[in-house]
Amino acid sequence: MSRSHLARPAAAVVGALLAAAVLAPGPAVARPHRAAGSAGCGTPTDLTPGASTTRSVTVDGERRDYLVHLPASYDQDRPTPLVLSFHGHGRTSDYQERLTGMNALDAVVVYPQGVTGTDGRSAWEGAPYSADVDDIAFTKALIDRAEDDLCVNTRRVFASGKSNGGGFAAVVACRLADRIAATAIVSGAFYPQSGACDPQRPVPVLDFHGQADATIPYDGNPDKGLPALPDWLAGWAERDGCAARPRETRVEDNVVLQRWRSCDGGSALEHYRITDGGHVWPSTAPNEDSATPTTIDATPLIEEFFTAHPLPKS
């Protein structure tokens, strides 16, 4: 069956599934909240449900900015999923917000802002052009702040990103597997400067990449140390203990979905290979990346994947 029915209009349906996935109420505590609820449950917030607000946090003595969006359905007593969405090289948090449409999710969505790198453009740790900053520490601080100030479902904290931001979302999965339930990547730039990847647990990974991507080529770029996507995916299949070869399903004339089976610990690895896809966030409507629509929508597919993969109970 075609997956195009998961286009942007279906986000509300998928959002209902995500909302239903929060856990049932637990024992009464000083501030009433449910099992998997963070310290901020039961605490009023000055943020406005349905709106985005600019905030900052100090990390290693430096001010770091971000946007935070509360869903219109936000309830201080209901643990809500948290999604971090990292922008691409040279982009901004508000660009990422407009590009992805993730404000439609039934989740608190945080759009972090990268700092200026060595080429004068914003970037994230792990790229050859990134600044000498600790973006993993920044990510930890964002999760801590959200969990302290808001009612967050601590088993449903997710990372996502595009291009350099997608590569960094993979780094987050490698280094913060105890906090991040799953990650989703679009047109990811996986540079060797990211370092070794040895997550504490098998991490569910969803990936999108176009075979016509001229910025981060599907077949890799040896001069820049960028791997071919099949090689990068094989590395994650091994980390997650999945079967060596994926099953393939053609979901559109130009899109093949690869799924790896038998992954350890309830993990998963899925990849959408878009034959004619460029360096864009897949969308069935024009977006900030391209006036030309694609045949699938990444955002509701990401939400569906996140809904299915909470952090395992410890």
Side-chain angles (χ1 to χ4, degrees):
M1 178 182 294
S2 168
R3 293 296 287 272
S4 60
H5 66 286
L6 291 170
R8 212 174 287 280
V13 175
V14 179
L17 294 174
L18 201 156
V22 295
L23 301 183
V29 291
R31 286 186 297 179
H33 62 276
R34 303 173 183 180
S38 67
C41 290
T43 302
T45 176
D46 62 345
L47 300 176
T48 303
S52 299
T53 307
T54 300
R55 285 287 189 263
S56 64
V57 62
T58 300
V59 180
D60 295 333
E62 182 176 355
R63 170 177 163 163
R64 301 296 304 270
D65 295 328
Y66 61 98
L67 281 176
V68 57
H69 180 87
L70 291 192
S73 61
Y74 178 77
D75 181 337
Q76 68 185 38
D77 295 318
R78 179 179 71 94
T80 304
L82 171 65
V83 176
L84 295 98
S85 185
F86 297 93
H87 63 73
H89 182 208
R91 300 299 189 184
T92 63
S93 55
D94 61 330
Y95 181 96
Q96 184 73 0
E97 180 182 39
R98 296 192 306 271
L99 172 66
T100 64
M102 284 188 167
N103 287 356
L105 308 186
D106 184 24
V108 176
V109 185
V110 170
Y111 303 93
Q113 178 60 50
V115 301
T116 302
T118 58
D119 62 354
R121 304 173 65 196
S122 60
W124 298 105
E125 177 182 344
Y129 42 76
S130 62
D132 185 18
V133 295
D134 189 344
D135 283 325
I136 290 294
F138 178 35
T139 303
K140 287 181 179 178
L142 290 175
I143 298 172
D144 289 344
R145 174 67 61 84
E147 292 183 351
D148 286 346
D149 294 351
L150 300 168
C151 191
V152 169
N153 187 329
T154 58
R155 292 185 58 224
R156 294 187 176 275
V157 178
F158 306 99
S160 62
K162 158 85 188 297
S163 192
N164 169 224
F168 182 65
V171 175
V172 170
C174 294
R175 302 186 191 175
L176 297 180
D178 60 327
R179 306 290 298 275
I180 296 293
T183 191
I185 299 158
V186 173
S187 303
F190 309 115
Y191 292 104
Q193 287 86 349
S194 297
C197 180
D198 186 21
Q200 298 179 22
R201 49 170 274 273
V203 180
V205 174
L206 174 63
D207 182 76
F208 301 79
H209 213 109
Q211 289 184 292
D213 190 332
T215 303
I216 307 296
Y218 195 91
D219 294 328
N221 185 330
D223 292 340
K224 294 183 178 181
L226 292 169
L229 259 293
D231 294 339
W232 183 84
L233 291 163
W236 268 106
E238 183 176 356
R239 289 184 198 98
D240 285 351
C242 306
R245 292 183 178 276
R247 293 185 181 179
E248 295 192 352
T249 304
R250 186 167 293 278
V251 296
E252 297 288 349
D253 289 343
N254 64 331
V255 181
V256 171
L257 169 60
Q258 294 181 319
R259 279 195 177 110
W260 281 256
R261 303 290 181 173
S262 305
C263 302
D264 290 343
S267 186
L269 176 61
E270 298 184 9
H271 169 64
Y272 284 87
R273 185 179 71 226
I274 307 169
T275 304
D276 56 353
H279 195 66
V280 301
W281 189 276
S283 171
T284 55
N287 63 14
E288 294 290 316
D289 274 351
S290 176
T292 303
T294 53
T295 55
I296 61 171
D297 252 322
T299 297
L301 292 169
I302 290 170
E303 185 175 22
E304 180 186 33
F305 186 82
F306 285 169
T307 299
H309 296 101
L311 193 69
K313 292 181 179 179
S314 56

